[in-house]
Amino acid sequence: MTTAGASPAGEVSTASEVEDAIAALVAARPPLLLVIDFDGTLAVGSRDPAVARIEPLAQRALRRLAGLSSAHPGRWQMAGLTGRIVADVAARVRVGGIDYLGDHGLEHGRLPRRGRAERLVTTTDPAFDLHRDPAEALARGVADELDTPPWLFVERKGPSVAFHVRQAEDVSAARTLVVEAVETVERRLGLVHGLAHYRGRSVVDLRPREAGGKREAVERLIERHRPGAIAVLGDEMSDIDAFEAVIAARRGTPLVGVTIAVHGLSRPAPSELLAVADLRLGGARDVGRWLAALGRRLEGAS
């Protein structure tokens, strides 16, 4: 499927465009692989990452899809792919029967149906353990360098660390301050850490360079599941990598691949993401409606 740019810039996709995409996904050879972001996609975007909550309609739709997958094994697979750590996002989504990929694919955990998120076992490649101490040194050092401003949210992710600045009045200026503070701490401590900056508008995300990001995570999912169809949903710069992995995978193959940007009024998706999106949904509630519609079509086709 190659419908990027079908709707005028700034507008969400029409009902017919959405329906056509769902029909193409359901008609394709199984399995259908669904890869979905959390913040701004399943959850309404919030200035405070700590208070993000999944849209109830999306949660109900995911649980319905999980039940359908259990009743018809091999028909579809789902992965939640997010920058958050697995334990955090699983506790917010609370849907079993899916894979949770945290820290842009660096962490993995599968929550069984009716399983408790608090008991989810998470795995991370031990090759990245050497980055844990430098990441923690940066987490402490940057906060101290900036005197722990109220707009700074430091997210410790083991071998990675993210500095969120969405709560600042001037997000761009705050992000620049964080980047400068990172450089200052690196010089002062003499850190040679192998952490690289990852895409983000309101975050400075440092992660092991060798770990890759959402592109590599989606490539691994495609290699593992060999889907006949894949849909990826996201709203941020990091999701560009995931979208481009789908575009590359469907090129010259029968794979039905659909990239879906969540383009809310309060927080529009970046133009770079919209440029590689086949569909645009208007927010987390529209994502819930889309998932519910997909579930109904899958039930009808089963």
Side-chain angles (χ1 to χ4, degrees):
M1 181 165 184
T2 55
T3 60
S7 296
E11 295 184 7
V12 297
S13 297
T14 66
S16 62
E17 289 171 340
V18 171
E19 179 61 26
D20 287 347
I22 290 175
L25 290 169
V26 173
R29 171 186 62 80
L32 163 61
L33 175 60
L34 182 63
V35 184
I36 188 164
D37 182 38
F38 179 73
D39 289 279
T41 302
L42 286 175
V44 176
S46 169
R47 293 188 69 186
D48 184 356
V51 302
R53 297 289 182 271
I54 188 170
E55 161 61 42
L57 178 59
Q59 187 180 54
R60 291 194 296 271
L62 289 178
R63 286 176 174 162
R64 182 179 184 182
L65 284 166
L68 179 62
S69 178
S70 178
H72 302 278
R75 184 66 183 85
W76 85 288
Q77 299 288 335
M78 178 181 164
L81 177 58
T82 171
R84 291 178 182 264
I85 62 173
V86 165
D88 184 354
V89 72
R92 295 174 190 275
V93 175
R94 293 193 175 278
V95 176
I98 65 177
D99 290 308
Y100 289 93
L101 305 180
D103 195 3
H104 306 295
L106 191 58
E107 288 188 339
H108 174 262
R110 182 169 179 83
L111 184 64
R113 287 204 70 210
R114 301 182 181 86
R116 295 183 60 182
E118 293 77 10
R119 296 180 180 176
L120 179 63
V121 177
T122 301
T123 59
T124 304
D125 190 334
F128 301 116
D129 285 348
L130 59 92
H131 298 289
R132 292 179 181 273
D133 288 344
E136 177 58 28
L138 285 170
R140 293 194 307 266
V142 168
D144 290 344
E145 180 69 22
L146 295 175
D147 197 23
T148 315
W151 46 261
L152 180 65
F153 179 81
V154 181
E155 184 183 14
R156 290 168 164 86
K157 299 188 281 187
S160 306
V161 59
F163 302 94
H164 297 268
V165 300
R166 188 174 295 179
Q167 298 180 75
E169 291 300 321
D170 187 334
V171 170
S172 179
R175 193 175 186 281
T176 297
L177 287 175
V178 170
V179 171
E180 292 173 348
V182 168
E183 294 171 352
T184 298
V185 173
E186 288 172 337
R187 288 194 301 270
R188 185 169 67 242
L189 299 181
L191 286 176
V192 181
H193 46 62
L195 299 175
H197 288 261
Y198 195 49
R199 297 178 187 262
R201 289 184 291 177
S202 56
V203 63
V204 177
D205 201 342
L206 297 169
R207 52 190 283 99
R209 183 175 290 106
E210 306 87 353
K214 286 191 174 182
R215 181 195 307 273
E216 289 80 4
V218 170
E219 288 172 347
R220 288 191 294 270
L221 285 168
I222 292 173
E223 177 66 23
R224 174 185 173 189
H225 294 293
R226 300 289 182 177
I230 178 173
V232 179
L233 295 85
D235 75 311
E236 260 298 347
M237 295 292 289
S238 61
D239 297 303
I240 296 171
D241 288 347
F243 284 17
E244 289 180 344
V246 172
I247 292 168
R250 73 190 183 194
R251 191 175 294 128
T253 75
L255 175 69
V256 176
V258 182
T259 57
I260 305 173
V262 183
H263 187 46
L265 291 176
S266 61
R267 184 172 170 79
S271 59
E272 298 94 331
L273 183 70
L274 295 176
V276 289
D278 298 314
L279 294 179
R280 302 170 186 172
L281 300 179
R285 189 158 184 80
D286 281 352
V287 170
R289 293 189 183 101
W290 187 87
L291 292 169
L294 177 65
R296 289 192 295 271
R297 288 295 294 265
L298 285 170
E299 284 181 327
S302 297

